[in-house]
Amino acid sequence: MPKLFLRLACLSLLLLNANPSFAQTPTPAPQPLNCSISGRVTVAGKPLVNARVTLLEANATRPDLVANGQAGDFSVKTVTDADGRYQLRDLPQGKYAVRALSSAYVLGAAERYDPWSQQAGGRLVTLEAGEQRTEVDLEFVRGGVITGRLTDARGKPVIEEGIHLIEMRDPQRPDYAQGSSTIIGDQTDDRGVYRLFGIPAGRYAVAVGMGVVKSEHNNLEFRGRLTRALVFYPGVPSLDKAKIIAVNEGDELTGIDFKLADEAQAETVAVTGHVIEAENGKPVPKVSLLLESKESADTPRDSRIAQTDAEGEFRFTELKAGGYTLGYSQAYQTSKATAVADGFYGESLSFTVGAEAVNGLELRLQRAASVSGVVVVEGQATSGDEQLMPYGISVMPVYEELSEEERNKNRRELNYAQATLGATGQFKLTGLRPGRVQLQLVSVTDRPGRFMMRRIERNGAPVSGILEIGAAQQLTGLRISVVRGTGRLRGQVELVGALPAGYRMQVDVLAEEFKRRLNSGEETMISGGDPRQGSASVDEAGRFLIEELLPGTYELRFMAWPPPSQRDLPMLNDEMTQQVSVNAEGTTTVTVKVDFTRKRPQ
């Protein structure tokens, strides 16, 4: 996968006590709803009636979920009229993707959502204040259909079973396999018949069951009512033996039938045990445990949750032979299933299940520490604000101090914890082990605002971003001050030459302070919620908008992505970087000439 300019995989210390020249954070004024977008949706030049048109923010990290109403980002929906026309009114200025959905038709390849790069599909539009954008038209093509029947070894229908469709963009490169999240009709009926429709042209494998398709860059995990391992059409156990189905525009492919082989029922056994406190041997009641099987090439992962009873006992049933790990799971604790307010921690147990039940397992837990306090936004009279509600505080180990072995451990066995902020900005992190940890402000939604931790105090005295936590210590009284970016960068791109068909342009900006750190070799984390960096798609009019930046000097770089259906084509880069100064308030405008043929001077 090409390395993006801002997508870095390193960790760093928090940057505290930032430049005091940063302005205090004002409460953003609401944007006037004085913009609109209109256009026409067609198929082969003819109007498409009652097509669902969706407007969503172009920087949503899961545009596919937003468009289908499964995520909480901003979106507006309407349907086309008898002439295929639509209009979206009362919009604020900003950057958007206009998409259309239809059960039988699909957008052309250049306008389709691309899960590989998470680029929004549709037409990208950047609206100025008061702008009425017209002729934002969308062209559909007829989708394909795959239908077949699923039966068991005796020829009886397998009812209400999920059908998995896996897109294979290159049979020689399984890292390009993508699970389809937008195909309709992915379940068998009472006859065992399934009908997948609205399928974009491409090459696909069809499967049922549960398991993991492994690849170089992404693992696809599939689950269904069948507890057996994945079976691929026409009834083979692995993706490399599957018959790949080519779907062209408007194809209806029938007879894609499965007849599942007779699978002997594997013997299953039960596992029982108890949980105690390590220091005194007392039972630990009402805590959640996570049991996970160890993956193998032909065995799907089995994950289960169970709670200890009043005596600290637990029981798992119907386990197949194989290796397992069992550990305390703070992530699944609830107010009704927590033995002590601040939880526990402990090392996981590993064991093997054979033909006989496994009894008498003993999981030993330690009393955990906690960290609590409040987050305040600088420049506001009171702590807590609805703009901070999508945020939380997390702790993590000091990465530079971990050994290679520790870095490869399961996260549950290291000092990781996260807590969302309450209505007044309060937080409490529990289940912590003794040791040194660092604090971070994190987004708990798909679309973060842009805040940066500025200062940490405890009972009025400044502290660093690294805390030393003692065994079972209850560390209270933290006050974390954050500052929000208020600068806006609006740009106009003057492209030298033309982009190849289907390519989409993106701009990344990075504060000069980060550039210096990167060039010096320091490990640095740059996250999507950091107000010292940003990115945006450049729309078809050559415009882009990046909001919520802190004031300062930024470096701009431009790249262009190939169309989703042609990912083997190269990503284009303008090797010349540009600089711009962003103000604390108001909008900074810039016009940039972009040339993807030039190279960086030596």
Side-chain angles (χ1 to χ4, degrees), residues 169-189:
R169 293 184 176 157
D170 186 337
Q172 304 303 317
R173 300 180 66 179
D175 54 302
Y176 280 144
Q178 297 288 350
S180 176
S181 61
T182 59
I183 305 305
I184 301 170
D186 57 349
Q187 194 174 61
T188 58
D189 63 14

Side-chain angles (χ1 to χ4, degrees), residues 71-346:
D73 297 85
F74 171 85
S75 65
V76 178
K77 298 179 182 179
T78 188
V79 295
T80 56
D81 62 17
D83 195 35
R85 298 191 181 279
Y86 72 91
Q87 186 169 29
L88 300 161
R89 303 183 182 89
D90 301 325
L91 306 175
Q93 64 177 338
K95 50 186 179 180
Y96 302 100
V98 184
R99 303 181 66 205
L101 300 172
S102 173
S103 58
Y105 301 95
V106 295
L107 287 169
E111 297 176 343
R112 201 172 301 147
Y113 167 67
D114 179 16
W116 189 75
S117 64
Q118 291 193 336
Q119 291 187 12
R123 296 276 298 274
L124 299 179
V125 177
T126 303
L127 291 176
E128 307 278 357
E131 184 175 3
Q132 315 302 311
R133 183 71 72 87
T134 61
E135 298 182 2
V136 181
D137 300 335
L138 294 164
E139 175 71 17
F140 270 95
V141 296
R142 186 176 294 276
V145 177
I146 295 176
T147 184
R149 189 166 184 256
L150 180 65
T151 56
D152 63 18
R154 293 170 295 175
K156 292 185 176 182
V158 180
I159 300 171
E160 294 183 350
E161 179 55 49
I163 304 295
H164 314 308
L165 188 67
I166 305 170
E167 183 179 6
M168 298 295 298
R169 293 184 176 157
D170 186 337
Q172 304 303 317
R173 300 180 66 179
D175 54 302
Y176 280 144
Q178 297 288 350
S180 176
S181 61
T182 59
I183 305 305
I184 301 170
D186 57 349
Q187 194 174 61
T188 58
D189 63 14
D190 59 351
R191 302 166 297 164
V193 173
Y194 69 91
R195 188 173 188 269
L196 309 175
F197 56 98
I199 303 174
R203 304 175 74 258
Y204 298 91
V206 183
V208 295
M210 62 180 293
V212 178
V213 174
K214 294 188 175 182
S215 61
E216 181 180 353
H217 293 301
N218 64 320
N219 291 338
L220 301 173
E221 183 170 355
F222 296 99
R223 292 185 176 272
R225 295 179 68 237
L226 287 175
T227 57
R228 65 184 296 164
L230 284 172
V231 177
F232 299 87
Y233 173 75
V236 295
S238 61
L239 181 60
D240 60 348
K241 297 179 180 178
K243 183 175 181 180
I244 304 302
I245 302 168
V247 179
N248 298 312
E249 179 184 331
D251 276 354
E252 180 157 356
L253 305 177
T254 61
I256 311 301
D257 300 336
F258 288 76
K259 187 170 183 179
L260 301 178
D262 191 12
E263 183 183 49
Q265 290 294 318
E267 295 293 330
T268 61
V269 301
V271 169
T272 65
H274 60 278
V275 181
I276 62 172
E277 290 192 47
E279 60 183 26
N280 54 31
K282 292 182 179 180
V284 184
K286 305 299 181 183
V287 294
S288 293
L289 305 178
L290 175 64
L291 177 77
E292 291 186 300
S293 65
K294 296 180 179 179
E295 286 186 34
S296 65
D298 55 359
T299 303
R301 183 176 62 187
D302 185 5
S303 299
R304 306 190 193 183
I305 297 292
Q307 291 180 356
T308 58
D309 63 16
E311 303 300 322
E313 303 288 336
F314 65 85
R315 179 181 177 85
F316 292 91
T317 60
E318 298 182 355
L319 297 181
K320 295 182 179 181
Y324 292 85
T325 59
L326 175 70
Y328 169 73
S329 180
Q330 182 182 345
Y332 292 94
Q333 299 301 107
T334 69
S335 59
K336 295 182 180 180
T338 304
V340 294
D342 299 314
F344 294 93
Y345 71 91

Side-chain angles (χ1 to χ4, degrees), residues 477-601:
L478 287 183
R479 179 184 172 90
I480 301 175
S481 298
V482 300
V483 61
R484 180 175 185 166
T486 55
R488 305 173 79 243
L489 176 62
R490 185 182 294 279
Q492 177 68 54
V493 172
E494 295 180 354
L495 187 61
V496 178
L499 281 175
Y503 271 73
R504 287 194 175 182
M505 199 185 328
Q506 175 179 310
V507 56
D508 292 328
V509 299
L510 183 67
E512 279 291 297
E513 62 182 283
F514 275 127
K515 180 185 174 184
R516 288 192 296 270
R517 292 170 67 85
L518 291 171
N519 289 342
S520 67
E522 296 183 53
E523 291 184 334
T524 303
M525 170 180 270
I526 303 175
S527 68
D530 196 307
R532 292 162 294 184
Q533 66 90 21
S535 63
S537 295
V538 179
D539 72 9
E540 55 196 38
R543 297 191 293 193
F544 65 87
L545 175 65
I546 301 176
E547 301 178 279
E548 297 180 309
L549 296 172
L550 285 175
T553 302
Y554 289 80
E555 181 177 276
L556 279 68
R557 286 194 179 185
F558 292 85
M559 65 184 67
W561 290 89
S565 59
Q566 297 175 281
R567 190 56 69 196
D568 54 325
L569 295 178
M571 183 180 68
L572 305 179
N573 287 281
D574 182 349
E575 298 294 342
M576 298 291 289
T577 61
Q578 316 250 352
Q579 287 189 338
V580 62
S581 294
V582 175
N583 301 319
E585 297 182 43
T587 301
T588 301
T589 59
V590 61
T591 299
V592 185
K593 284 190 175 182
V594 176
D595 183 353
F596 289 113
T597 64
R598 63 186 174 187
K599 303 296 181 182
R600 186 188 301 275

